[in-house]
mmCIF file of all heavy atoms in Angstrom:
data_model
loop_
_atom_site.group_PDB
_atom_site.id
_atom_site.type_symbol
_atom_site.label_atom_id
_atom_site.label_comp_id
_atom_site.label_asym_id
_atom_site.label_seq_id
_atom_site.Cartn_x
_atom_site.Cartn_y
_atom_site.Cartn_z
ATOM 1 N N THR A 1 3.321 15.002 13.694
ATOM 2 C CA THR A 1 1.853 14.817 13.535
ATOM 3 C C THR A 1 1.311 13.349 13.716
ATOM 4 O O THR A 1 0.220 13.078 13.593
ATOM 5 C CB THR A 1 1.509 15.208 12.134
ATOM 6 O OG1 THR A 1 1.992 14.163 11.108
ATOM 7 C CG2 THR A 1 1.916 16.532 11.691
ATOM 8 N N GLY A 2 2.337 12.615 14.260
ATOM 9 C CA GLY A 2 1.984 11.188 14.456
ATOM 10 C C GLY A 2 1.750 10.451 13.115
ATOM 11 O O GLY A 2 1.012 9.493 13.055
ATOM 12 N N PHE A 3 2.477 10.899 12.085
ATOM 13 C CA PHE A 3 2.421 10.364 10.722
ATOM 14 C C PHE A 3 0.882 10.280 10.186
ATOM 15 O O PHE A 3 0.412 9.306 9.690
ATOM 16 C CB PHE A 3 3.031 8.990 10.679
ATOM 17 C CG PHE A 3 4.416 8.987 10.691
ATOM 18 C CD1 PHE A 3 5.138 8.963 11.926
ATOM 19 C CD2 PHE A 3 5.261 9.037 9.557
ATOM 20 C CE1 PHE A 3 6.564 9.173 11.991
ATOM 21 C CE2 PHE A 3 6.657 9.177 9.613
ATOM 22 C CZ PHE A 3 7.232 9.078 10.783
ATOM 23 N N GLN A 4 0.286 11.462 10.561
ATOM 24 C CA GLN A 4 -1.190 11.523 10.307
ATOM 25 C C GLN A 4 -1.480 11.468 8.683
ATOM 26 O O GLN A 4 -2.492 10.795 8.343
ATOM 27 C CB GLN A 4 -1.733 12.868 10.757
ATOM 28 C CG GLN A 4 -3.192 12.980 10.655
ATOM 29 C CD GLN A 4 -3.982 11.923 11.388
ATOM 30 O OE1 GLN A 4 -3.618 11.629 12.552
ATOM 31 N NE2 GLN A 4 -4.946 11.342 10.901
ATOM 32 N N ASN A 5 -0.616 11.949 7.819
ATOM 33 C CA ASN A 5 -0.860 11.821 6.464
ATOM 34 C C ASN A 5 -0.933 10.363 5.949
ATOM 35 O O ASN A 5 -1.676 10.003 5.180
ATOM 36 C CB ASN A 5 0.042 12.703 5.632
ATOM 37 C CG ASN A 5 -0.133 14.165 5.710
ATOM 38 O OD1 ASN A 5 -0.414 14.740 6.819
ATOM 39 N ND2 ASN A 5 -0.255 14.766 4.588
ATOM 40 N N CYS A 6 -0.012 9.700 6.582
ATOM 41 C CA CYS A 6 0.035 8.194 6.307
ATOM 42 C C CYS A 6 -1.236 7.511 6.774
ATOM 43 O O CYS A 6 -1.818 6.728 6.027
ATOM 44 C CB CYS A 6 1.307 7.514 6.988
ATOM 45 S SG CYS A 6 2.948 8.156 6.463
ATOM 46 N N ARG A 7 -1.583 7.865 8.012
ATOM 47 C CA ARG A 7 -2.798 7.182 8.637
ATOM 48 C C ARG A 7 -4.144 7.579 8.072
ATOM 49 O O ARG A 7 -5.169 6.880 8.019
ATOM 50 C CB ARG A 7 -2.750 7.551 10.068
ATOM 51 C CG ARG A 7 -1.511 6.843 10.822
ATOM 52 C CD ARG A 7 -1.508 7.310 12.299
ATOM 53 N NE ARG A 7 -0.347 6.739 13.006
ATOM 54 C CZ ARG A 7 -0.432 5.480 13.677
ATOM 55 N NH1 ARG A 7 -1.563 4.821 13.680
ATOM 56 N NH2 ARG A 7 0.568 5.018 14.258
ATOM 57 N N THR A 8 -4.199 8.779 7.465
ATOM 58 C CA THR A 8 -5.413 9.160 6.685
ATOM 59 C C THR A 8 -5.684 8.225 5.477
ATOM 60 O O THR A 8 -6.825 7.915 5.263
ATOM 61 C CB THR A 8 -5.242 10.593 6.169
ATOM 62 O OG1 THR A 8 -4.968 11.426 7.329
ATOM 63 C CG2 THR A 8 -6.555 11.100 5.549
ATOM 64 N N CYS A 9 -4.689 7.823 4.869
ATOM 65 C CA CYS A 9 -4.901 6.917 3.671
ATOM 66 C C CYS A 9 -4.939 5.453 4.147
ATOM 67 O O CYS A 9 -5.587 4.633 3.669
ATOM 68 C CB CYS A 9 -3.855 7.031 2.606
ATOM 69 S SG CYS A 9 -3.966 8.626 1.665
ATOM 70 N N HIS A 10 -3.932 5.144 5.101
ATOM 71 C CA HIS A 10 -3.861 3.769 5.607
ATOM 72 C C HIS A 10 -4.464 3.619 6.944
ATOM 73 O O HIS A 10 -3.880 3.832 7.992
ATOM 74 C CB HIS A 10 -2.403 3.363 5.613
ATOM 75 C CG HIS A 10 -1.596 3.560 4.290
ATOM 76 N ND1 HIS A 10 -1.713 2.606 3.238
ATOM 77 C CD2 HIS A 10 -0.892 4.496 3.787
ATOM 78 C CE1 HIS A 10 -1.053 2.927 2.267
ATOM 79 N NE2 HIS A 10 -0.429 4.085 2.516
ATOM 80 N N ASP A 11 -5.687 3.179 6.986
ATOM 81 C CA ASP A 11 -6.387 2.769 8.294
ATOM 82 C C ASP A 11 -5.870 1.513 8.746
ATOM 83 O O ASP A 11 -6.297 0.417 8.257
ATOM 84 C CB ASP A 11 -7.864 2.828 8.098
ATOM 85 C CG ASP A 11 -8.721 2.726 9.404
ATOM 86 O OD1 ASP A 11 -8.027 2.238 10.407
ATOM 87 O OD2 ASP A 11 -9.833 3.061 9.386
ATOM 88 N N LEU A 12 -5.022 1.454 9.712
ATOM 89 C CA LEU A 12 -4.442 0.090 10.161
ATOM 90 C C LEU A 12 -5.389 -0.777 10.784
ATOM 91 O O LEU A 12 -5.158 -2.032 10.839
ATOM 92 C CB LEU A 12 -3.330 0.441 11.266
ATOM 93 C CG LEU A 12 -2.102 1.268 10.852
ATOM 94 C CD1 LEU A 12 -1.171 1.457 11.806
ATOM 95 C CD2 LEU A 12 -1.623 0.882 9.498
ATOM 96 N N SER A 13 -6.599 -0.267 11.282
ATOM 97 C CA SER A 13 -7.521 -1.190 11.754
ATOM 98 C C SER A 13 -8.444 -1.885 10.628
ATOM 99 O O SER A 13 -9.101 -2.817 11.007
ATOM 100 C CB SER A 13 -8.492 -0.328 12.779
ATOM 101 O OG SER A 13 -9.218 0.496 11.904
ATOM 102 N N LYS A 14 -8.216 -1.493 9.570
ATOM 103 C CA LYS A 14 -9.016 -2.051 8.425
ATOM 104 C C LYS A 14 -8.133 -2.811 7.407
ATOM 105 O O LYS A 14 -8.600 -3.143 6.278
ATOM 106 C CB LYS A 14 -9.829 -1.049 7.590
ATOM 107 C CG LYS A 14 -10.875 -0.417 8.574
ATOM 108 C CD LYS A 14 -11.656 0.681 7.721
ATOM 109 C CE LYS A 14 -12.696 1.308 8.717
ATOM 110 N NZ LYS A 14 -13.523 2.359 8.032
ATOM 111 N N MET A 15 -6.837 -3.069 7.734
ATOM 112 C CA MET A 15 -5.963 -3.724 6.909
ATOM 113 C C MET A 15 -6.436 -5.266 6.809
ATOM 114 O O MET A 15 -6.749 -5.874 7.804
ATOM 115 C CB MET A 15 -4.564 -3.699 7.330
ATOM 116 C CG MET A 15 -3.904 -2.324 7.215
ATOM 117 S SD MET A 15 -2.166 -2.298 7.633
ATOM 118 C CE MET A 15 -1.512 -3.209 6.297
ATOM 119 N N LYS A 16 -6.376 -5.805 5.558
ATOM 120 C CA LYS A 16 -6.725 -7.212 5.355
ATOM 121 C C LYS A 16 -6.032 -7.698 4.166
ATOM 122 O O LYS A 16 -5.912 -7.151 3.125
ATOM 123 C CB LYS A 16 -8.314 -7.288 5.095
ATOM 124 C CG LYS A 16 -8.793 -8.792 5.045
ATOM 125 C CD LYS A 16 -10.363 -8.679 4.848
ATOM 126 C CE LYS A 16 -10.898 -10.109 4.787
ATOM 127 N NZ LYS A 16 -10.515 -10.986 3.618
ATOM 128 N N ASN A 17 -5.324 -8.805 4.403
ATOM 129 C CA ASN A 17 -4.535 -9.539 3.504
ATOM 130 C C ASN A 17 -4.739 -11.016 3.757
ATOM 131 O O ASN A 17 -4.020 -11.612 4.517
ATOM 132 C CB ASN A 17 -3.046 -9.057 3.467
ATOM 133 C CG ASN A 17 -2.315 -9.536 2.257
ATOM 134 O OD1 ASN A 17 -2.501 -10.711 1.743
ATOM 135 N ND2 ASN A 17 -1.408 -8.785 1.755
ATOM 136 N N ASP A 18 -5.599 -11.639 2.831
ATOM 137 C CA ASP A 18 -5.834 -13.049 3.084
ATOM 138 C C ASP A 18 -4.682 -13.970 2.789
ATOM 139 O O ASP A 18 -4.428 -15.049 3.505
ATOM 140 C CB ASP A 18 -6.969 -13.546 2.164
ATOM 141 C CG ASP A 18 -8.315 -12.940 2.537
ATOM 142 O OD1 ASP A 18 -8.481 -12.532 3.801
ATOM 143 O OD2 ASP A 18 -9.255 -12.674 1.651
ATOM 144 N N GLN A 19 -3.793 -13.576 1.854
ATOM 145 C CA GLN A 19 -2.586 -14.305 1.568
ATOM 146 C C GLN A 19 -1.453 -14.170 2.628
ATOM 147 O O GLN A 19 -0.654 -15.119 2.874
ATOM 148 C CB GLN A 19 -2.044 -13.926 0.259
ATOM 149 C CG GLN A 19 -2.935 -14.266 -0.991
ATOM 150 C CD GLN A 19 -2.386 -13.927 -2.269
ATOM 151 O OE1 GLN A 19 -1.478 -13.010 -2.362
ATOM 152 N NE2 GLN A 19 -2.787 -14.598 -3.392
ATOM 153 N N HIS A 20 -1.392 -12.940 3.273
ATOM 154 C CA HIS A 20 -0.480 -12.704 4.294
ATOM 155 C C HIS A 20 -1.175 -12.058 5.534
ATOM 156 O O HIS A 20 -1.025 -10.863 5.807
ATOM 157 C CB HIS A 20 0.665 -11.804 3.744
ATOM 158 C CG HIS A 20 1.387 -12.248 2.561
ATOM 159 N ND1 HIS A 20 2.219 -13.268 2.658
ATOM 160 C CD2 HIS A 20 1.291 -11.998 1.234
ATOM 161 C CE1 HIS A 20 2.643 -13.634 1.424
ATOM 162 N NE2 HIS A 20 2.139 -12.852 0.542
ATOM 163 N N PRO A 21 -1.998 -12.968 6.199
ATOM 164 C CA PRO A 21 -2.660 -12.326 7.402
ATOM 165 C C PRO A 21 -1.740 -11.771 8.502
ATOM 166 O O PRO A 21 -2.213 -10.835 9.284
ATOM 167 C CB PRO A 21 -3.473 -13.455 7.882
ATOM 168 C CG PRO A 21 -2.791 -14.655 7.343
ATOM 169 C CD PRO A 21 -2.142 -14.288 6.118
ATOM 170 N N ASP A 22 -0.557 -12.174 8.588
ATOM 171 C CA ASP A 22 0.363 -11.614 9.565
ATOM 172 C C ASP A 22 0.642 -10.234 9.331
ATOM 173 O O ASP A 22 1.066 -9.503 10.208
ATOM 174 C CB ASP A 22 1.709 -12.589 9.554
ATOM 175 C CG ASP A 22 2.317 -12.548 8.131
ATOM 176 O OD1 ASP A 22 1.621 -12.888 7.243
ATOM 177 O OD2 ASP A 22 3.605 -12.439 8.123
ATOM 178 N N VAL A 23 0.633 -9.769 8.077
ATOM 179 C CA VAL A 23 0.906 -8.266 7.754
ATOM 180 C C VAL A 23 -0.137 -7.421 8.549
ATOM 181 O O VAL A 23 0.412 -6.469 9.152
ATOM 182 C CB VAL A 23 0.940 -8.083 6.274
ATOM 183 C CG1 VAL A 23 1.065 -6.534 6.019
ATOM 184 C CG2 VAL A 23 2.039 -8.790 5.498
ATOM 185 N N ALA A 24 -1.413 -7.738 8.428
ATOM 186 C CA ALA A 24 -2.319 -6.995 9.072
ATOM 187 C C ALA A 24 -2.225 -6.974 10.651
ATOM 188 O O ALA A 24 -2.488 -5.999 11.263
ATOM 189 C CB ALA A 24 -3.858 -7.378 8.599
ATOM 190 N N ALA A 25 -1.942 -8.279 11.074
ATOM 191 C CA ALA A 25 -1.811 -8.416 12.577
ATOM 192 C C ALA A 25 -0.561 -7.614 13.071
ATOM 193 O O ALA A 25 -0.727 -6.958 14.051
ATOM 194 C CB ALA A 25 -1.579 -9.933 12.784
ATOM 195 N N PHE A 26 0.354 -7.467 12.377
ATOM 196 C CA PHE A 26 1.639 -6.859 12.710
ATOM 197 C C PHE A 26 1.377 -5.281 12.822
ATOM 198 O O PHE A 26 1.731 -4.598 13.725
ATOM 199 C CB PHE A 26 2.763 -6.936 11.740
ATOM 200 C CG PHE A 26 3.890 -6.074 11.952
ATOM 201 C CD1 PHE A 26 4.891 -6.397 12.935
ATOM 202 C CD2 PHE A 26 4.076 -5.081 11.167
ATOM 203 C CE1 PHE A 26 5.991 -5.545 13.056
ATOM 204 C CE2 PHE A 26 5.344 -4.158 11.252
ATOM 205 C CZ PHE A 26 6.180 -4.490 12.271
ATOM 206 N N HIS A 27 0.596 -4.728 11.641
ATOM 207 C CA HIS A 27 0.351 -3.285 11.757
ATOM 208 C C HIS A 27 -0.661 -2.913 12.768
ATOM 209 O O HIS A 27 -0.761 -1.778 13.230
ATOM 210 C CB HIS A 27 -0.179 -2.917 10.295
ATOM 211 C CG HIS A 27 0.983 -2.825 9.301
ATOM 212 N ND1 HIS A 27 1.402 -3.892 8.685
ATOM 213 C CD2 HIS A 27 1.658 -1.697 8.905
ATOM 214 C CE1 HIS A 27 2.452 -3.491 7.859
ATOM 215 N NE2 HIS A 27 2.732 -2.174 7.961
ATOM 216 N N ALA A 28 -1.658 -3.877 13.076
ATOM 217 C CA ALA A 28 -2.744 -3.495 14.113
ATOM 218 C C ALA A 28 -2.053 -3.173 15.445
ATOM 219 O O ALA A 28 -2.723 -2.373 16.196
ATOM 220 C CB ALA A 28 -3.615 -4.764 14.256
ATOM 221 N N VAL A 29 -0.906 -3.645 15.823
ATOM 222 C CA VAL A 29 -0.202 -3.258 16.901
ATOM 223 C C VAL A 29 0.031 -1.714 17.055
ATOM 224 O O VAL A 29 0.075 -1.133 18.162
ATOM 225 C CB VAL A 29 1.231 -4.003 17.087
ATOM 226 C CG1 VAL A 29 1.977 -3.509 18.325
ATOM 227 C CG2 VAL A 29 0.967 -5.527 17.110
#
């Protein structure tokens, strides 16, 4: 399913972590 159930809760385009900005940048890929 392309891990659709994961992606339904976790929108990788909207991840934001001010303390660890590299985390959002990594997942955006």
Side-chain angles (χ1 to χ4, degrees):
T1 69
F3 288 84
Q4 188 57 48
N5 283 51
C6 300
R7 293 173 180 272
T8 298
C9 287
H10 303 278
D11 188 338
L12 302 185
S13 66
K14 296 180 180 179
M15 290 185 70
K16 186 176 185 294
N17 189 324
D18 293 331
Q19 294 182 335
H20 302 285
D22 55 313
V23 173
F26 172 79
H27 283 84
V29 175

